[in-house]
Amino acid sequence: MSNKPLHRIDLNLLVIFQILLQERSVTLAAKWLSISPSAVSKALAKLRIWFDDPLFIRSPQGLIPTPLSLSIEDSLSDFINISHHIANKRNTEVPVGLKFNLVLETPLHQVMLPSLPQQILSHYPKSTLQIKNWEYNSLSNIIDGEVDIGLVGREYYSRSKELLELLPDVIDYEILFDDIPLVYLHKNHPLMKMKWDLNNFLSFSQVSTEYDKQSHWALDNILKEMNKSRQIAITYTSFEQSLFMISQPDHQLITCAPGYCRYYVKTHFPDIVTLPIPLPPVFLDQLHLPFVLLWHKRNSHNTKIIWLRNTIRKSINQQTSDI
């Protein structure tokens, strides 16, 4: 390999190279860096051209570094650490007295981010924190600068008004995890003794949870395409309220909520059980929910927002791996 001037290579590629050496997996490196596996693969292709070496060999156990990769692993780590030290030289003082305004879907933040308030208050001394539940005007509040960051579920269903592609251009987002909704019902509900199919599911009245002032969601749209519908008896504004109603005995109501809520009911409502929504796979796949962090593009390089994003991402990753 002939000598090449350092300014000819994108130093971000070296960061990706280091993470690949650390994780030995394109998928894990992409998750760590919060970029797509395709972006990591493209970066690896450029690195292979630069070093004129395959750098990694694929195997059932993951990526195996070539001798060249192993020979520069320690030097690369030192180089990245020195770069971080230089880049952070102007940021040695952590600001105090900052204000944090977050809008988080509930009970998502209780399940996935139980220690977030303490993390913020510990990292930013004398800061103040306001956490509100996601509401119909929360996206506008992010755009107006009244909210720093939001965490909420959207939809993949092609006809949904909550598609990620429909977010305003001024909003940046990051998908943290995907979820599939479930049916929640009391353990003594008559459905527990019946055949679990769509007709029996629709034969019982349901509790709906309003989202952005809408009580209908992708499931209702799919059912409409099948010339079917749910019987909505009660509508609440939060999943906690709906789940509380379902936890009460001596009724025949059921509800649908994101899958992560099963960890919430395990602690708070042990008499609630879950079942999959009884739809064919081709329809069920359309119900998947991406849970995303949202922030205004003007804050993309704001150190407070970057710290929040990294902290929330790490906490979510830890929680999803634990549960």
Side-chain angles (χ1 to χ4, degrees):
M1 181 180 66
S2 59
N3 292 329
K4 299 178 182 178
L6 184 61
H7 71 269
R8 295 280 300 277
I9 187 173
D10 182 352
L11 298 184
N12 289 319
L13 295 177
L14 298 181
V15 174
I16 295 174
F17 190 6
Q18 184 198 30
I19 302 304
L20 282 169
L21 284 165
Q22 172 184 306
E23 301 293 339
R24 308 293 170 91
S25 163
V26 168
T27 301
L28 292 178
K31 187 174 183 180
W32 199 98
L33 292 161
S34 296
I35 59 178
S36 68
S38 174
V40 174
S41 296
K42 290 177 181 178
L44 178 56
K46 292 178 181 178
L47 287 164
R48 283 169 167 163
I49 293 174
W50 174 268
F51 287 103
D52 193 22
D53 186 87
L55 300 179
F56 296 95
I57 305 300
R58 296 186 183 277
S59 77
Q61 291 74 40
L63 298 178
I64 300 177
T66 63
L68 176 62
S69 292
L70 291 174
S71 71
I72 64 177
E73 184 172 10
D74 290 340
S75 298
L76 179 61
S77 180
D78 290 341
F79 175 78
I80 298 298
N81 288 335
I82 291 172
S83 300
H84 283 315
H85 177 73
I86 294 173
N88 292 327
K89 204 63 176 171
R90 296 172 298 174
N91 248 346
T92 54
E93 293 293 329
V94 176
V96 299
L98 294 182
K99 294 182 179 180
F100 290 81
N101 292 289
L102 314 179
V103 287
L104 309 175
E105 179 174 309
T106 177
L108 174 60
H109 66 89
Q110 293 98 315
V111 174
M112 298 289 190
L113 301 169
S115 62
L116 179 62
Q118 295 92 324
Q119 289 176 296
I120 293 174
L121 297 175
S122 174
H123 187 79
Y124 288 96
K126 299 181 181 179
S127 58
T128 57
L129 173 62
Q130 182 180 71
I131 298 179
K132 291 184 177 181
N133 296 338
W134 185 274
E135 300 174 340
Y136 74 95
N137 59 347
S138 293
L139 190 59
S140 296
N141 290 337
I142 295 175
I143 295 173
D144 294 339
E146 298 174 16
V147 169
D148 296 316
I149 203 164
L151 173 56
V152 71
R154 304 288 288 187
E155 291 184 341
Y156 285 127
Y157 177 67
S158 60
R159 298 182 184 179
S160 172
K161 295 180 180 179
E162 304 302 328
L163 283 171
L164 292 173
E165 291 81 0
L166 298 180
L167 286 169
D169 290 339
V170 296
I171 293 292
D172 269 345
Y173 68 87
E174 174 183 352
I175 299 176
L176 296 180
F177 68 99
D178 280 357
D179 190 282
I180 182 69
L182 298 171
V183 180
Y184 293 77
L185 64 165
H186 194 278
K187 65 181 181 181
N188 296 326
H189 194 285
L191 269 171
M192 297 302 296
K193 297 180 180 180
M194 299 171 63
K195 180 182 179 181
W196 185 237
D197 59 23
L198 186 58
N199 287 332
N200 286 334
F201 166 67
L202 295 176
S203 68
F204 287 90
S205 294
Q206 302 196 16
V207 177
S208 183
T209 304
E210 185 178 88
Y211 177 84
D212 277 4
K213 291 192 171 183
Q214 298 182 60
S215 59
H216 285 204
W217 56 294
L219 173 60
D220 298 291
N221 294 326
I222 290 173
L223 290 173
K224 185 176 180 180
E225 294 175 7
M226 303 170 69
N227 294 317
K228 299 179 182 293
S229 63
R230 296 189 296 158
Q231 305 172 48
I232 305 299
I234 305 174
T235 299
Y236 286 112
T237 57
S238 75
F239 292 119
E240 291 100 321
Q241 293 170 312
S242 297
L243 293 168
F244 175 79
M245 182 67 246
I246 297 307
S247 71
Q248 306 306 304
D250 303 323
H251 68 79
Q252 295 187 355
L253 295 166
I254 61 177
T255 193
C256 295
Y260 74 78
C261 289
R262 65 190 183 275
Y263 304 108
Y264 176 78
V265 303
K266 183 178 180 180
T267 302
H268 296 81
F269 307 120
D271 288 337
I272 288 181
V273 296
T274 61
L275 291 170
I277 296 176
L279 284 174
V282 65
F283 294 114
L284 195 59
D285 288 345
Q286 300 179 58
L287 296 183
H288 280 257
L289 306 171
F291 281 85
V292 296
L293 277 178
L294 305 168
W295 65 93
H296 197 286
K297 286 184 176 179
R298 61 172 169 263
N299 289 324
S300 293
H301 302 290
N302 182 306
T303 54
K304 183 182 80 170
I305 303 302
I306 292 173
W307 181 87
L308 267 177
R309 288 165 50 196
N310 291 336
T311 301
I312 291 173
R313 182 192 315 113
K314 290 177 182 177
S315 297
I316 294 278
N317 288 344
Q318 181 63 47
Q319 289 295 323
T320 52
S321 63
D322 288 345
I323 61 181

